[in-house]
Amino acid sequence: MQRHYLALTAAVAALGMTATLSGCGTGSAAGDVTLKLVAADYGNSAANSSTKYWDELARNFEASHDGIKVDVNVYSWKDVDRKVAEMVKKGQAPDIAQIGAYADYAKAGKLYSADDMLAIRTQANFLPRLADAGQYNQTQYGLPFVASTRLLFYNKKYFSRAGLDAPKTWDDIRDDAVVLKQRGVTYPFALPLGQEESQAETMMWLLSGGGGYTDDVGSYDIDSPENIKTFDWLKTNLVDKGLVGPVAPGKLDRAQAFEAFTSGKVGMLNGHPTLMQEAERKGVQVGMVPLPGITGPTEGSMGVADWIMGFKQNNHREAIGKFFDYMFEDKNVVAFADEYDLLPVTDSASAVMETDAKHKPLRKFLEALPNSEFYPVGNTSWARTSELIKQNIGKAVEPGGSPAGVLSEIARGAATAEAAE
């Protein structure tokens, strides 16, 4: 982890500096301001709706910031991105939006940059990989809100009974899956390449094979030799050998695979923190290890982040910045991450969770986060490219399918989407 960020944070705090970076202008005019905030709901019922978090945060913020009110509206993840897009199109953009992507709005010049809004100490406190992932054209517009990483999960009971060690390499996965199949496990390795979230499963495998969606300069490299080799291996060693269960990978969604794991039907699969908690609630003994690679565990993992941003339309830059500085205080970051079994996005909040015994089950995920790779969300063609992956990647491992052909088809679509931006 790049500790100079912490050094900068400490230096700023020691000087008592609370102003934003110089040259930001005044933004909000004098007088009362009401910030319109739209956020996504991470809960699965009224009892744990994110509305409770946001309402409490807004009231506490208002109590210490005279003249600023916060009007909160929380929508389901199915609706929130569309709602914000409709508001922007009508010229009624919220001041703050917590949604899944920021790049289109940054490209259109509708967002304040992090430099425009945040105190130095706040901006310096983001985990570096997450700050980088929030950049469009080398400027940060997307502020990371929460994150998660992925590890390989395995059913400890099945592995213990079969005398198996946790897998470290791809060959270990294959060999363990053979044994689990012989012992009657329904899904020796669950491989969800259905349309729900196959862009995530795909990226995990590409990273563990030394590839990824983009090259070193950020250009799409979807049909690279490394990526083709990865899917050739998957098809030949897992799918063709019948080690992935009764549902074809291209028809298996993540939710189905996770439900099968928590029901004791899966030997191994790639998972995130929420799955860990749900499996343990249902009595499944969970083992977790870094994603196995070709010759050993991968050094990094796949990371996923959701984003929050400030819109320029209402000229409330100063008030938005004050709200963000408050929202990113450790107590608020940890409270949300803790409620939904997610990971904090700041260096200091991560340190709080790492040292608290209450959060011990999350430590392996926290350890993986600083070195994780994220979707190329700063690329405005990513949304279309992601859809192409979800729609087509399952075909790469079908009987008679061609990994090279499918990856090349997706790569051509990605190039077309990029050219259209």
Side-chain angles (χ1 to χ4, degrees), residues 30 51 58 82 91 100 104 110 115 142-143 146 155 157 188 202-203 230-232 234 241 253 274 306 351:
T51 300
R82 175 178 54 81
D104 285 346
K110 296 183 180 298
D115 287 348
L143 312 181
V146 286
N155 187 306
K157 181 176 73 174
T202 298
M203 184 171 172
T230 293
F231 267 81
D232 279 336
L234 277 174
K241 293 182 183 299
D253 284 338
T274 305
D306 296 325

Side-chain angles (χ1 to χ4, degrees), residues 155-416:
N155 187 306
K156 292 177 72 172
K157 181 176 73 174
Y158 294 160
F159 270 66
S160 177
R161 288 179 176 177
L164 299 173
D165 295 324
K168 296 180 180 179
T169 67
W170 287 359
D171 286 349
D172 290 341
I173 290 176
R174 178 198 59 211
D175 295 345
D176 292 348
V178 168
V179 175
L180 294 171
K181 181 180 180 181
Q182 292 170 348
R183 298 178 70 89
V185 175
T186 306
Y187 293 85
F189 190 99
L191 184 66
L193 295 178
Q195 292 192 24
E196 181 192 0
E197 204 194 27
S198 54
Q199 83 282 8
E201 185 72 18
T202 298
M203 184 171 172
M204 284 181 265
W205 281 99
L206 298 185
L207 292 173
S208 68
Y213 286 134
T214 59
D215 59 21
D216 291 340
V217 296
S219 299
Y220 287 123
D221 198 21
I222 294 170
D223 58 347
S224 69
E226 294 84 1
N227 293 347
I228 292 171
K229 181 179 178 181
T230 293
F231 267 81
D232 279 336
W233 188 93
L234 277 174
K235 184 177 186 304
T236 301
N237 288 272
L238 293 185
V239 182
D240 290 351
K241 293 182 183 299
L243 301 176
V244 294
V247 180
K251 303 293 184 183
L252 184 67
D253 284 338
R254 181 192 65 170
Q256 293 173 270
F258 281 13
E259 182 180 1
F261 184 80
T262 61
S263 300
K265 298 177 181 178
V266 174
M268 296 173 279
L269 85 174
N270 295 320
H272 58 52
T274 305
L275 176 62
M276 172 190 67
Q277 303 286 3
E278 182 64 21
E280 291 180 347
R281 276 194 290 267
K282 292 190 175 182
V284 176
Q285 299 175 23
V286 181
M288 297 176 294
V289 292
L291 302 178
I294 298 174
T295 59
T298 55
E299 292 185 1
S301 180
M302 187 195 79
V304 176
D306 296 325
W307 304 94
I308 193 164
M309 61 213 71
F311 281 84
K312 292 179 176 179
Q313 180 175 314
N314 300 318
N315 195 36
H316 289 161
R317 179 198 61 78
E318 185 177 351
I320 294 170
K322 289 180 179 178
F323 181 81
F324 282 148
D325 288 338
Y326 180 81
M327 189 195 80
F328 283 111
E329 290 179 7
D330 288 351
K331 62 182 180 181
N332 299 320
V333 174
V334 171
F336 194 92
D338 188 36
E339 175 67 24
Y340 298 105
D341 298 322
L342 293 166
L343 304 181
V345 296
T346 63
D347 217 336
S348 57
S350 295
V352 169
M353 292 186 75
E354 285 171 355
T355 56
D356 188 341
K358 173 184 174 183
H359 301 295
K360 184 177 180 180
L362 290 174
R363 286 178 185 167
K364 289 186 178 181
F365 295 97
L366 287 163
E367 290 168 2
L369 185 58
N371 295 317
S372 292
E373 297 289 337
F374 294 83
Y375 298 135
V377 290
N379 189 328
T380 54
S381 64
W382 169 244
R384 175 58 184 152
T385 299
S386 177
E387 284 301 314
L388 289 171
I389 295 165
K390 288 192 273 189
Q391 293 166 9
N392 294 287
I393 196 64
K395 301 173 186 176
V397 295
E398 289 179 349
S402 167
V406 171
L407 289 172
S408 294
E409 179 184 353
I410 295 171
R412 288 192 295 271
T416 301

